[in-house]
Amino acid sequence: QVQLVESGGGLVQAGGSLRLSCAASERTFRSYAMAWFRQAPGKEREFVAAIKWSGRTTYYADSVKARFTISRDNAKGTVYLQMDILKPEDTAVYYCAAKEDEPFIATISTAAHEYHYWGQGTQVTVSS
């Protein structure tokens, strides 16, 4: 139903920055909360950041707080992840995900299984 395409990954030196983008197909009947997850080989998929449709509520994993910023431009159907002060441990495939939003609920889910629409991922590699 929802098509998501990530871009912006690449190779960067530790301490550098990248901005990931996730472009979503247009939707007529639903608004979505969006999130970023990441997964390294042999590891579980890990929550990174999430944002409600309004953009006014965000949540970050402790490991990326103060370094990453999630934002969205609903007119463009795009969500972004600005990643600053990157560390080698940030190396992973980053996935964009979407779920139906609940605008009258203040919280955002951080559980991967609650997100039903996924992009194919973009590789981020941080060298030391």
Side-chain angles (χ1 to χ4, degrees):
Q1 301 182 60
V2 178
Q3 298 174 241
L4 304 174
V5 180
E6 304 96 334
S7 62
L11 175 64
V12 65
Q13 296 285 326
S17 298
L18 286 172
R19 188 174 79 156
L20 306 184
S21 297
C22 174
S25 59
E26 292 187 286
R27 300 169 294 276
T28 302
F29 299 110
R30 293 180 176 89
S31 297
Y32 293 86
M34 304 292 294
W36 290 93
F37 293 79
R38 66 188 182 187
Q39 188 167 24
K43 296 184 178 180
E44 295 288 332
R45 186 165 47 185
E46 176 188 24
F47 171 79
V48 177
I51 187 167
K52 278 185 165 286
W53 179 86
S54 69
R56 290 178 291 183
T57 302
T58 59
Y59 188 77
Y60 299 91
D62 288 343
S63 60
V64 305
K65 284 180 180 177
R67 298 190 299 118
F68 291 9
T69 303
I70 189 170
S71 62
R72 66 192 298 162
D73 185 338
N74 288 342
K76 295 182 178 180
T78 303
V79 64
Y80 304 96
L81 185 68
Q82 178 67 44
M83 306 186 294
D84 297 319
I85 320 176
L86 283 161
K87 304 175 180 179
E89 49 263 48
D90 294 318
T91 296
V93 176
Y94 283 70
Y95 296 93
C96 178
K99 67 182 295 292
E100 292 181 308
D101 201 4
E102 297 177 290
F104 301 106
I105 304 297
T107 56
I108 313 175
S109 176
T110 63
H113 70 266
E114 294 191 14
Y115 290 81
H116 299 293
Y117 309 106
W118 295 84
Q120 294 208 317
T122 184
Q123 177 71 47
V124 172
T125 303
V126 184
S127 61
S128 59

